[in-house]
Amino acid sequence: MAGVSRRYPMLRRTRAMWVSRRVWQPRLVFWIGALAIGLVSVGFAVLADKAQDLFHALTGAPGGWRWYLPLLLTPAGFVFCAWMASAFFPNSQGSGIPQAIAARHLRDDDDRTYLLSLKMVAGKIGLTIVGLFCGASIGREGPTVQVGASLMLQAARWGGLTQARGLILAGSAAGIAAAFNTPLAGIVFAIEEMGRTYEARTNGLVLTAVILAGLASLGLLGNYTYFGVSHDTVSFASDAGLIVACGVIGGALGAAFSVLTLKATRRIRRWSRYTPLKRTLLIAAVCGFLVAAVGLAAGGLTFGTGYAQARSAIEGTPLPWYFFIAKFVAGVATGIAGIPGGIFAPSLAVGAGLGSALGVLFGSSAGIAALLGMAGYFAGVVQAPMTAFVIILEMTGNHDNVIALMCASMLGYGTARMISHEPLYHALSRVYIADAIRRKRAETAATAPAQPEAA
């Protein structure tokens, strides 16, 4: 063969080109997939903001007759989203992070396709936008993780890449990085939350995906901080009590959110086993009405992501003392309704409201209190303290408070672990893994040859 190559140089060049294509084609597809995550994340963010603004414009200001429109619009929207998710986009419900975690544990590509696919991308984005248009207390950041993982897994299929687990991790990290413009938080999230058994060989995949998705986001939106720039600095001499309170109370409240969501979700699944669609829609209608009622009682503050309220608190304007309670109830009701939507932004809003209320009690700066409350509560919900303080640091652009936020996050995490031993996302991911196992067993049983009856 070597002699043939020497006699025919064209054959040698053709083989070199083939080898080069085999090496570079998968990389090119991977890079395109990472850029696509950034572009899709930006489009998703713009549409989500417009849907939320349209809801507020449609319902009008408090006092007018349109103010009561959510009592009809929100339940109807919840029912529509739950029906579409059950009938056309199964496994699109909820945040999307548990589905991405489950897909990393599944070995069969068909099982992963049930959780991560281009069809899922369309359904997740569309139904999350509809949910925000109806006033649901959801965010787009968790769904962006499922979208990013789906896009990266599809790119892997097209490019012939075989590292499915690493690519799902990379797509998830890129989704977080592009959603918040927080590249470090995307990497930490991949290590701490998505991959509890992190593999060093995925470093390059995660870093490259985060960089390319971040470049796509920066190219369209420019460099920005999610909550603006915070200039307040924690004084340990005077704010030590506030740090402890935000960490412990925030962690306990975050754990309560996780426990309530998990127990309610499991009970609803058992209750809906025999008539799943009918009872799923009934639950969605009840939850939608509860979210609408809480929103009206709170003056409209709890509808949507809670981004505006959290930013207002960080900038120094205290929130009403009842805001965190109302937003907490709206978040639980939305989380168990069976509609697509994340809990990142609403959780940060609850934490900001809690910190704001504690800041008034301790006589501290509203901005500092909001940051510490966000760290404690968010670490309690997801039980990922590194992700909590890193993401808040990057979203506010203030690195002077790193030690204080670390303390609040660790206190929140420790308190939550004493109340709930199951991290929310990982506990929910086991539901999808169990569904995949049951589906595989059912398919095996259906295709197995019938056994002859005993004489």
Side-chain angles (χ1 to χ4, degrees), residues 62-426:
W65 69 269
R66 290 190 300 167
W67 180 243
Y68 298 96
L69 189 60
L71 292 174
L72 295 175
L73 177 62
T74 305
F78 272 49
V79 170
F80 174 78
C81 290
W83 173 65
M84 290 291 291
S86 297
F88 299 101
F89 303 101
N91 299 318
S92 68
Q93 296 90 340
S95 165
I97 295 175
Q99 291 92 315
I101 294 173
R104 289 196 73 236
H105 291 283
L106 297 172
R107 297 183 180 277
D108 188 83
D109 192 58
D110 291 337
D111 290 336
R112 295 192 186 106
T113 303
Y114 279 102
L115 301 174
L116 305 174
S117 64
L118 293 184
K119 179 183 177 181
M120 189 67 64
V121 169
K124 196 75 173 185
I125 292 175
L127 294 179
T128 300
I129 290 170
V130 172
L132 287 170
F133 169 71
C134 298
S137 181
I138 54 176
R140 58 176 170 79
E141 295 78 20
T144 305
V145 170
Q146 190 177 13
V147 168
S150 299
L151 291 174
M152 193 58 77
L153 196 60
Q154 185 59 55
R157 296 189 186 107
W158 287 340
L161 298 169
T162 58
Q163 294 176 269
R165 286 167 57 87
L167 290 165
I168 292 171
L169 193 69
S172 302
I176 285 291
F180 285 115
N181 188 34
T182 52
L184 290 179
I187 295 168
V188 173
F189 172 79
I191 296 172
E192 185 179 36
E193 186 61 35
M194 284 296 300
R196 295 286 171 108
T197 55
Y198 188 72
E199 299 173 359
R201 62 182 178 179
T202 61
N203 284 344
L205 290 175
V206 172
L207 285 171
T208 304
V210 167
I211 290 169
L212 293 175
L215 286 174
S217 176
L218 289 174
L220 293 175
L221 299 179
N223 194 14
Y224 68 96
T225 49
Y226 189 81
F227 282 126
V229 178
S230 170
H231 299 287
D232 295 334
T233 303
V234 174
S235 171
F236 279 89
S238 58
D239 293 326
L242 178 65
I243 294 171
V244 174
C246 286
V248 173
I249 299 174
L253 192 64
F257 176 87
S258 297
V259 170
L260 287 172
T261 301
L262 286 173
K263 288 189 174 182
T265 300
R266 288 165 180 167
R267 286 181 178 272
I268 289 170
R269 284 177 66 87
R270 287 196 296 267
W271 182 68
S272 305
R273 183 177 302 168
Y274 300 108
T275 55
L277 184 58
K278 180 180 178 180
R279 293 190 175 185
T280 295
L281 299 185
L282 177 60
I283 289 292
V286 172
C287 290
F289 185 82
L290 178 59
V291 169
V294 170
L296 293 179
L301 293 176
T302 61
F303 291 122
T305 62
Y307 166 81
Q309 290 75 24
R311 179 160 186 166
S312 174
I314 290 170
E315 291 176 346
T317 303
L319 293 168
W321 66 268
Y322 56 82
F323 170 76
F324 78 93
I325 301 173
K327 189 66 174 173
F328 177 90
V329 174
V332 173
T334 303
I336 65 176
I339 69 173
I343 64 172
F344 260 68
S347 294
L348 294 172
V350 173
L354 173 64
S356 177
L358 291 174
V360 172
L361 290 177
F362 281 86
S364 301
S365 162
I368 288 296
L371 290 176
L372 295 173
M374 289 165 66
Y377 180 78
F378 189 70
V381 171
V382 301
Q383 295 190 18
M386 286 195 298
T387 300
F389 76 77
V390 170
I391 203 169
I392 293 169
L393 281 175
E394 285 196 281
M395 287 192 300
T396 57
N398 186 343
H399 296 271
D400 295 334
N401 301 315
V402 60
I403 300 298
L405 289 174
M406 282 182 179
C407 291
S409 297
M410 284 305 300
L411 286 169
Y413 167 71
T415 304
R417 289 290 292 175
M418 289 190 289
I419 298 172
S420 172
H421 300 294
E422 292 183 291
L424 178 61
Y425 290 139
H426 287 264

